[in-house]
Amino acid sequence: MSSNAPRRTALDALHRSLGATMTDFAGWDMPLRYGSERDEHVAVRTRAGLFDLSHMGEITVTGPQAAALLNHALVGNIASVGVGRARYTMICRADGGILDDLIVYRLAETEYMVVANASNAEVVLGALTERAGGFDAEVRDDRDAYALLAVQGPESPGILKSLTDADLDGLKYYAGLPGTVAGVPALIARTGYTGEDGFELFVAPSDAEKLWQALTEAGAPAGLVPCGLSCRDTLRLEAGMPLYGHELTTSLTPFDAGLGRVVKFEKEGDFVGREALEAAAERAAANPPRVLVGLVAEGRRVPRAGFAVVTGGTVVGEVTSGAPSPTLGRPIAMAYVDAAHAAPGTPGVGVDIRGSHEPYEVVALPFYKRQK
Amino acid sequence: MSNPQQLRYSKEHEWLSVAEDGVSTVGITEFAANALGDVVYAQLPEVGDTVTAGESCGELESTKSVSDLYAPVTGEIVEANQDVVDDPSLVNSAPFEGGWLFKVRVTGEPDDLMSADEYTAFTAG
């Protein structure tokens, strides 16, 4: 990019007209919140929330060997994903370090859409392009081709149904189908990052405002409100979902992150990172790495990323994400802790909060699971 | 946002009532409360503490961050608002009223406290 000015989504003017507090996020000027982030959080848990996620990075992979390329470039078995389905996976370096976590949608037999985190989109695009050498497949930068709106929360199916003829009842979690929403062509995906039922709608940027307005009107009777990135973070934290840069980094392999299940050694062909990841899997089996756990505060002080987890004056881990939980009414955190202190209910675990050791209860993740 | 005319304001976004019997009430402004987001924890100075103008005397924790609370004047704390300790969201819902933070017996004031109009201009910049 030739300038350092933050990028703006197709909905930028709309956010400002709604009085959003904006924040810089991975080079994008994004809505942090419109009013109270706690109210937005509660709306998604109990009714519905509408998010602009246009900063996410879309990359299209097409061609006869698209599946083979993705199987080589990513750690998952992408060739086994059915048309119309989606999969959570990761892209790793040759040394096994996590470059990003991704959702890959198989749109057609030989067409996939890879969705990368905004902060990593450039890196993922570069890695996929480089790894495509020798494959009969094309990697296309589609970051500017899509705006992304998400409707999340228990009322979201009803809201969306009033705007589309698409078969939402037949659309399973982690699946996507092309359709029309409010007269706008959209890829309708049943995915999200909130722990609730919900949909992500990939549309042309020129259609984003029309879709936003239609969703706002259709959702008003159900209590839908616009939501910013602040409540998105507390929602995903309650749902125990990792965030790149916090729970996932290049210095961790998927096995160190407790997500070794996404690595599919049994798939056909070699893939980038295989050797290092096999070693990491053996290391993890022989000598358990730190474990990602949940911490629930007994008091009211909030553990933040980077704070030390302590027991008896010894550092046994580190907080990766922390926030007050609107649903639990207490501060919560995710932290990597030594395996010896990772069992739920382990006594004597605290977090060093600016010099004071505050007590926390070790719990299994997630903190919150929706009733189905 | 309107800043009450009868109050004075610090660069650190505290408001301060005119002292009655030498005691002023202190809170943070609506501007500051909005910038913080939902306040979830308030650590206030305790009765009997001596605070110094411009120095940290507590902290306010919001969803995303923790911020120091500064004393706008020098003096002795005579009351901390227990309602805010129990329900920190008062800082957001009523920053100039029920969300006040502490009362201080003023022994010294900096000379850069602002009027409401000056503070409004300060935050508009």
Side-chain angles (χ1 to χ4, degrees), chain A residues 54-192:
Chain A
S54 300
H55 59 314
M56 300 294 285
E58 296 86 3
I59 301 159
T60 302
V61 179
T62 58
Q65 288 193 292
L69 160 57
L70 290 171
N71 260 15
H72 166 69
L74 312 180
V75 301
N77 190 353
I78 308 305
S80 72
V81 177
V83 172
R85 300 306 301 264
R87 186 156 298 170
Y88 177 77
T89 187
M90 293 184 185
I91 182 167
C92 289
R93 302 191 301 203
D95 70 0
I98 302 167
L99 277 177
D100 200 9
D101 62 338
L102 307 166
I103 292 180
V104 178
Y105 298 87
R106 189 169 200 169
L107 303 181
E109 193 58 40
T110 59
E111 181 175 356
Y112 294 85
M113 182 171 70
V114 176
V115 181
N117 284 295
S119 54
N120 293 328
E122 192 76 44
V123 168
V124 173
L125 179 66
L128 284 179
T129 304
E130 191 193 318
R131 295 173 189 187
F135 288 94
D136 186 3
E138 183 205 350
V139 174
R140 190 170 73 226
D141 179 2
D142 269 343
R143 286 176 293 174
D144 293 336
Y146 293 105
L148 175 56
L149 278 61
V151 192
Q152 299 280 304
E155 298 287 347
S156 55
I159 293 167
L160 207 57
K161 271 180 197 169
S162 71
L163 295 173
T164 183
D165 293 333
D167 175 22
L168 297 183
D169 291 330
L171 186 65
K172 294 180 183 147
Y173 188 52
Y174 265 77
L177 61 82
T180 302
V181 181
V184 167
L187 171 66
I188 307 168
R190 201 157 202 160
T191 45

Side-chain angles (χ1 to χ4, degrees), chain B residues 21-34:
Chain B
D21 300 332
V23 173
S24 280
T25 304
V26 173
I28 67 164
T29 65
E30 186 175 1
F31 176 87
N34 282 345

